[in-house]
Amino acid sequence: MEKYVEAFESSFIGAIQWTWKSIVFEVPWYTNYFWGLIAISLVVWSMEIRFPWRKNQAIFRKDFWLDAFYMFFNFFVFAVVISGFYKLLEVFFSDIGITARSLALIDLSTMPIWIQLVLFFVVLDFVQWFTHILLHKYPVLWNFHKVHHSVKEMGFAAHLRYHWMENVLYKPLKVFGVMLLGGFEPEQAYIVHFAAITIGHLNHANIKLTWGPLKYVFNNPVMHLYHHAYSLPEGTYGVNFGISLSLWDYIFQTHYIPEDSGTIPLGFPGDEQFPKDFLHQNSYGIWKSKKNQA
């Protein structure tokens, strides 16, 4: 038991220290996720202001500050809180003989760095795409994911507006993805991290961007807007599930882009009664699930 307590404490304290060092610029700039997030946000927001797709949308759109709070809460505050629990799981699985290499399908460490980064990016994106589908398909998970889909006006910060339970769901599956790669995370993984943040911010931004022929590879604001559409094609529980890459939706025929005006209503049926504040939104999936089970 003492081993578990020490593992929890060291991970929790380490996460706090690393976050603080990032804030005060005591970590290398290329691994400074705190100021990196701010820099990317400011650049994408300035693009929204300079080249707005929906020109009648205010610069400080509906729920702008709520979404900004979500960004820092989910990326830093909750990440610190949950870090100790993830460390406990790691120690537990190690004790029962399941290591980072147990499910290895490929060993990245023997490959050139650019191949490592591409495979790392692609595998983790596929895992997130699959997880995203689960969030839409199963009602108990959809109750959590409704927080993200309660956005009524799209902007860059909507990217990180999601229920804290999504962190709990995504993280273990992303770890599973790393295990498929031999448990190896490239030293330059920060490149993938910042690329994913940038693409995610752009996907939710008030910018009309399709990437031209590359739209079949990379997700984009036009495609992702329809993921947030209030009305979905009949017989579906969602479309355009891609996170950074759109190719999974094209491969598995879950893509849907009927037009590109950018004026479609957003949300989901019944969102009029959905909580509007942070605390009630983040308790919604919990009490709602219990109510459904009663």
Side-chain angles (χ1 to χ4, degrees), residues 71 137 142 152 161 181 234 236-237 251 259 287:
M71 275 207 319
K137 185 173 183 178
W142 169 240
K152 302 301 287 184
R161 173 176 177 166
L181 300 174
E234 187 176 352
T236 69
Y237 47 79
I251 291 174
E259 56 88 45
W287 64 258

Side-chain angles (χ1 to χ4, degrees), residues 9 19-20 31 62 83 91 93 107-108 127 153 176 194 200 203-204 234 244 259 267 270 277 281:
E9 290 181 348
T19 301
W20 176 250
T31 60
K62 182 179 177 62
S83 62
V91 174
F93 283 122
D107 185 3
L108 287 186
V127 169
E153 291 185 341
F176 171 76
F194 285 123
N203 290 342
H204 293 82
E234 187 176 352
S244 293
E259 56 88 45
D277 64 282
Q281 286 182 355

Side-chain angles (χ1 to χ4, degrees), residues 129-271:
W129 175 83
F130 180 73
T131 307
H132 196 183
I133 287 181
L134 299 181
L135 290 172
H136 280 260
K137 185 173 183 178
Y138 296 102
V140 66
L141 300 181
W142 169 240
N143 280 334
F144 301 132
H145 196 48
K146 282 180 179 178
V147 170
H148 186 64
H149 281 266
S150 64
V151 174
K152 302 301 287 184
E153 291 185 341
M154 290 284 270
F156 73 93
H159 172 206
L160 298 176
R161 173 176 177 166
Y162 52 81
H163 197 289
W164 60 271
M165 272 297 293
E166 291 199 29
N167 259 329
V168 176
L169 294 167
Y170 270 109
K171 180 68 174 181
L173 288 173
K174 288 173 73 174
V175 171
F176 171 76
V178 173
M179 292 176 71
L180 294 179
L181 300 174
F184 176 76
E185 184 169 326
E187 183 179 350
Q188 291 80 5
Y190 58 85
I191 296 174
V192 171
H193 173 88
F194 285 123
I197 292 177
T198 302
I199 294 172
H201 270 30
L202 288 171
N203 290 342
H204 293 82
N206 184 23
I207 305 169
K208 189 174 184 179
L209 181 68
T210 64
W211 302 121
L214 290 178
K215 68 183 180 181
Y216 299 108
V217 178
F218 294 104
N219 201 358
N220 58 78
V222 175
M223 185 175 193
H224 196 67
L225 188 71
Y226 267 94
H227 177 72
H228 283 263
Y230 187 92
S231 300
L232 296 171
E234 187 176 352
T236 69
Y237 47 79
V239 295
N240 303 344
F241 298 102
I243 305 300
S244 293
L245 300 176
S246 62
L247 62 87
W248 313 122
D249 288 307
Y250 285 105
I251 291 174
F252 295 100
Q253 298 295 297
T254 52
H255 63 285
Y256 178 72
I257 314 170
E259 56 88 45
D260 62 357
S261 69
T263 59
I264 61 173
L266 307 181
F268 55 88
D271 64 5

